[in-house]
Amino acid sequence: MIGAMLREAWRAMGANKMRTFLTMLGMVIGVGAVILMLAIGQGAQNLVRQSIASMGSNLIMVLSGFTSASGVRSGSGSIPTLNVADARAIGDLPTVAEVAPLQPGTSQLVYGSSNWSTMVYGTTPPYFGLREWAIERGDPISDLDVRSAARVAVVGQTVVSRLFGDEDPIGKTMRIRHAPFVVVGILAAKGQSFDGRDQDDTVLIPFTTAQRKVFGAQFPNSTRMILVQASSEADMPQAEADITALLRERQRTPEGMEPNFTVRNMTAAAQAQAQTTKVMSILLGSVACVSLVVGGIGIMNIMLVSVTERTREIGIRMAIGARRRDILLQFLLEAVIVSLLGCIVGVAVGVSLSSLAQDVTGVYAEITPWSIALSFAVAAIVGVFFGFYPARRAAYLKPIEALRFQ
Amino acid sequence: MTEPAARRRRSVVLVEHLFKQYETAAGPHPVLQDINLQIMDGEFVALMGPSGSGKSTFMNILGCLDTPTSGRFELDGHDTARLDSDRLAQLRNRFIGFVFQGFNLLPRVSLVENVALPLVYAGVGRSERLARAGELLERVGLGQYLGHHPNQISGGQQQRVAIARALANRPRLILADEPTGNLDTTTSHEIMSLFDRLNADEGITIVLVTHEADVARFAHRLVRFQDGKVSHDGASAAVLQEAPA
Ligand SMILES: Nc1ncnc2c1ncn2[C@@H]1O[C@H](COP(=O)(O)OP(=O)(O)O)[C@@H](O)[C@H]1O
Ligand SMILES: [Mg+2]
């Protein structure tokens, strides 16, 4: 019986190919959009997840404000409010596991005839552990390098490819702001940070070298940032509070006055970003679902026309013994087949569009099996839901009225 | 003369005080007014009467395609008013075979599948369906046209296909509303001899509507309708002789 109905559905669809095609098109577009949007959303979420994982765990960033010599706050060129002693004091807090001062600056790198502008960070050996950043080849910055303010550099993957091309950078000498530096190590690739920067486009040098030989020596012990790792995830809030209290005391910030530094919970910031991305992908998915529903309404429309057109046929079938449920099932099957076929094509379209979007716009799109499963489920539901009303209408026709229909 | 026979046989159709009226814009339009009729198993009845006298309306009620406004209609001993739509569909499928004036074959479907259609709704498997449909087409003389479509054959041939379809589930009652209305005389007679054989050889009860006396002559009993009432009911030969249609 089902076999006969499938054949019948196939025949009915074949009898009006253009119409079947247009009906399917609605489904194709709907499903294609769902697949594409979910892929883009999933891609964005994965990026964020990766970058959070690549950030290091339980990190707190302390950012310095600025003061002029007179103690009044002002803009750049003034003295950072944090120094190496602050970093050491933070490191002694019980809720803190590890600290690394960080002195950032944009610099022009030159090697042979190529040059590249990038972020150069002066830091200390704990930084590698804090960021869980492995050395792919060579050595990290050592304590000796920091103590002796050695002209050594560890370079990120992007710098390797941009500046050195096919050459092996280890042992080579490049120039940072005209000062020669020997490359001693290459960082493992990390990819994008959660705020979209390329983390591999970076150079790390000893903190002391950065202070004295690259970014100027006006304030030898000051630092713009301190990267802190709390002892555990549970200690994060306490560590934040401890750091704030400690620095207020060290800087003698009066009660009730805004401190001249910022303590930022990096994990929380990243999670906020992840949440935003998630909301965005849900939003994209919902918009796409609307087009799926529109496709479903298209199916209902066509099925209603089809029922009207085939009223006489329904009458004949009833006269020779079709029960209501036979007629219902026949039209329902037709709607479901159309929507499932549309879904199959839609998945193909969605998958190709996703890879096209990735190639053309550089958006990272990831197709997941569950997004395909979801599309099929929704298509089947749409087929049944929007096919049901026309099918029921056909099934509840009075035999004689259907038969007399011209 | 039909009386003793009727008492011995089963009643296939029993109609008592049957009324049918259509609700139209101009108010209720009575079509059948107090019809009383009994048709026994194995009878061959011709229904005649002027156009608009309610013959088709009556046939549709007999076929469970339409319902009376009031009155009693028993089919094969079942009070049809008490049957639900599934049961009525089952009666149409198994007990009744329809033959229409306009053939009513499905145009997009091959002849063999048209004939097999009632078997689909009877739950018969595909190979058995096609085998039986093939036999039936063979029997009505269309064995070589199994894969053809209705628009590839003549009207007379289409009506044979329709008869083959009506026979698919071995019905006890065939209802034919002007089955020869669209056919020429020769073809009409061929169709009628087909009915005659079904009645004579297999004892299938046949009720057919016709305007033509020579078609009605194949029947054994003639019922005349006039303004929604039965105006005459008797052996066909006698009636047709005294009042040729
Ligand atoms: N669906 C309908 N609605 C209203 N009137 C109808 C309908 N069907 C038939 N009639 C009327 O009922 C009467 C009998 O029709 P019908 O049974 O077809 O007669 P016959 O078959 O004897 O020619 C006619 O007057 C016709 O106009
Ligand atoms: Mg009529």
Side-chain angles (χ1 to χ4, degrees):
Chain A
M1 173 89 99
I2 285 287
M5 284 184 175
L6 281 173
R7 261 190 300 281
E8 185 48 47
W10 190 250
R11 193 150 39 207
M13 287 163 57
N16 211 327
K17 293 193 182 66
M18 188 63 189
R19 183 191 294 170
T20 306
F21 169 75
L22 287 175
T23 317
M24 270 171 58
L25 197 62
M27 266 337 266
V28 169
I29 292 171
V31 169
V34 167
I35 295 279
L36 177 66
M37 293 303 149
L38 288 179
I40 289 175
Q42 188 63 42
Q45 283 193 55
N46 283 2
L47 258 190
V48 168
R49 202 173 306 131
Q50 273 169 24
S51 59
I52 288 174
S54 74
M55 191 175 67
S57 41
N58 311 331
L59 293 187
I60 295 168
M61 182 69 93
V62 186
L63 298 165
S64 119
F66 293 95
T67 55
S68 68
S70 61
V72 177
R73 257 184 248 192
S74 72
S76 65
S78 335
I79 316 168
T81 56
L82 297 174
N83 56 46
V84 178
D86 291 331
R88 227 174 277 127
I90 292 171
D92 289 338
L93 287 170
T95 47
V96 168
E98 196 62 273
V99 294
L102 212 52
Q103 186 68 32
T106 314
S107 292
Q108 187 78 10
L109 310 179
V110 179
Y111 174 74
S113 60
S114 38
N115 59 74
W116 181 246
S117 181
T118 190
M119 286 298 283
V120 175
Y121 290 92
T123 190
T124 56
Y127 181 79
F128 296 91
L130 286 177
R131 295 290 320 273
E132 292 165 17
W133 209 338
I135 296 290
E136 188 180 270
R137 237 147 34 73
D139 299 305
I141 289 161
S142 67
D143 285 321
L144 183 65
D145 293 333
V146 175
R147 251 178 281 133
S148 61
R151 289 181 191 275
V152 293
V154 175
V155 294
Q157 295 284 343
T158 305
V159 172
V160 172
S161 59
R162 293 294 180 162
L163 199 62
F164 295 95
D166 298 332
E167 280 188 64
D168 179 5
I170 303 272
K172 299 281 170 15
T173 303
M174 64 174 179
R175 289 178 179 277
I176 302 175
R177 291 203 181 163
H178 309 300
F181 277 78
V182 176
V183 177
V184 295
I186 301 171
L187 290 163
K190 255 206 194 300
Q192 271 188 21
S193 68
F194 70 83
D195 51 1
R197 280 177 302 107
D198 176 9
Q199 301 184 91
D200 298 320
D201 188 6
T202 193
V203 172
L204 302 177
I205 60 175
F207 182 74
T208 44
T209 319
Q211 293 289 52
R212 293 172 209 163
K213 296 170 184 168
V214 181
F215 304 132
Q218 307 104 293
F219 319 111
N221 282 315
S222 67
T223 183
R224 293 259 303 279
M225 305 173 184
I226 302 171
L227 189 60
V228 181
Q229 183 171 45
S231 331
S232 70
E233 198 180 333
D235 280 335
M236 288 286 279
Q238 190 56 48
E240 267 184 87
D242 289 352
I243 292 166
T244 307
L246 176 76
L247 290 178
R248 285 183 78 104
E249 194 193 309
R250 288 177 63 86
Q251 298 187 355
R252 301 199 175 77
T253 315
E255 194 81 33
M257 194 172 146
E258 281 286 304
N260 204 353
F261 58 86
T262 313
V263 177
R264 185 182 294 164
N265 182 331
M266 300 294 279
T267 311
Q271 272 160 1
Q273 177 69 30
Q275 193 56 37
T276 310
T277 313
K278 197 167 184 176
V279 169
M280 180 199 79
S281 57
I282 289 171
L283 215 67
L284 287 178
S286 326
V287 169
C289 277
V290 170
S291 61
L292 205 54
V293 170
V294 172
I297 292 173
I299 288 183
M300 177 154 82
N301 220 341
I302 297 295
M303 290 307 293
L304 282 173
V305 172
S306 178
V307 165
T308 308
E309 261 187 12
R310 285 153 68 190
T311 302
R312 200 177 163 75
E313 176 195 320
I314 294 165
I316 295 171
R317 287 175 182 276
M318 286 174 161
I320 60 174
R323 291 161 303 179
R324 280 177 182 163
R325 76 180 86 127
D326 298 325
I327 302 290
L328 185 84
L329 199 62
Q330 184 187 327
F331 280 89
L332 212 50
L333 212 58
E334 213 176 300
V336 171
I337 289 174
V338 168
S339 62
L340 282 184
L341 281 181
C343 183
I344 291 171
V345 179
V347 165
V349 167
V351 169
S352 356
L353 276 184
S354 302
S355 67
L356 194 72
Q358 190 163 334
D359 294 347
V360 173
T361 65
V363 173
Y364 182 53
E366 183 170 315
I367 306 282
T368 53
W370 70 262
S371 73
I372 294 175
L374 180 82
S375 297
F376 272 97
V378 172
I381 290 169
V382 161
V384 171
F385 186 81
F386 289 106
F388 189 78
Y389 173 68
R392 206 190 121 90
R393 211 156 107 152
Y396 278 77
L397 284 169
K398 288 219 180 82
I400 186 60
E401 277 161 22
L403 208 51
R404 259 201 300 248
F405 186 84
Q406 290 307 319
Chain B
M1 164 187 138
T2 52
E3 282 303 305
R7 237 180 265 122
R8 263 187 285 117
R9 289 192 231 152
R10 257 173 7 130
S11 157
V12 170
V13 167
L14 178 64
V15 168
E16 285 172 349
H17 305 299
L18 187 116
F19 288 78
K20 176 72 180 179
Q21 63 183 34
Y22 289 109
E23 301 303 326
T24 63
H29 175 44
V31 175
L32 299 178
Q33 303 181 63
D34 197 14
I35 306 281
N36 294 280
L37 200 68
Q38 186 174 28
I39 298 172
M40 294 297 153
D41 190 25
E43 279 197 276
F44 191 161
V45 183
L47 218 58
M48 297 188 81
S51 187
S53 58
K55 306 181 296 294
S56 292
T57 303
F58 185 63
M59 290 292 272
N60 291 333
I61 291 172
L62 292 192
C64 303
L65 295 170
D66 204 353
T67 47
T69 309
S70 68
R72 187 176 176 80
F73 166 37
E74 272 182 23
L75 185 66
D76 193 30
H78 305 286
D79 180 359
T80 55
R82 293 171 181 278
L83 303 177
D84 64 10
S85 85
D86 276 5
R87 192 76 182 82
L88 292 173
Q90 198 185 21
L91 278 174
R92 291 195 293 267
N93 185 233
R94 310 287 170 86
F95 190 74
I96 304 171
F98 282 100
V99 180
F100 304 92
Q101 180 176 3
F103 320 134
N104 275 343
L105 300 175
L106 296 186
R108 288 180 280 110
V109 176
S110 70
L111 301 187
V112 70
E113 285 187 272
N114 257 297
V115 174
L117 208 52
L119 298 165
V120 169
Y121 297 117
V124 177
R126 180 167 166 81
S127 54
E128 201 186 327
R129 281 203 304 265
L130 295 182
R132 171 138 178 83
E135 276 167 33
L136 285 164
L137 278 173
E138 197 81 52
R139 207 167 121 192
V140 298
L142 293 169
Q144 69 273 44
Y145 296 110
L146 300 190
H148 282 58
H149 283 244
N151 60 1
Q152 295 171 312
I153 56 174
S154 71
Q157 288 171 322
Q158 288 188 51
Q159 197 59 299
R160 287 162 185 272
V161 175
I163 292 170
R165 181 180 65 184
L167 294 173
N169 277 320
R170 301 185 174 86
R172 291 309 304 156
L173 171 64
I174 284 182
L175 298 172
D177 192 350
E178 301 194 40
T180 59
N182 288 357
L183 305 176
D184 61 56
T185 315
T186 323
T187 321
S188 293
H189 284 203
E190 283 168 19
I191 295 291
M192 287 315 297
S193 35
L194 200 53
F195 280 127
D196 191 38
R197 255 177 296 148
L198 290 172
N199 178 252
D201 300 350
E202 300 183 34
I204 299 175
T205 312
I206 295 175
V207 180
L208 79 84
V209 174
T210 183
H211 284 296
E212 295 147 80
D214 55 333
V215 167
R217 245 186 281 273
F218 282 87
H220 309 139
R221 175 179 169 194
L222 190 141
V223 175
R224 243 180 220 292
F225 269 47
Q226 185 81 49
D227 297 330
K229 294 192 177 81
V230 175
S231 64
H232 177 91
D233 184 355
S236 63
V239 180
L240 290 167
Q241 266 156 19
E242 57 193 57

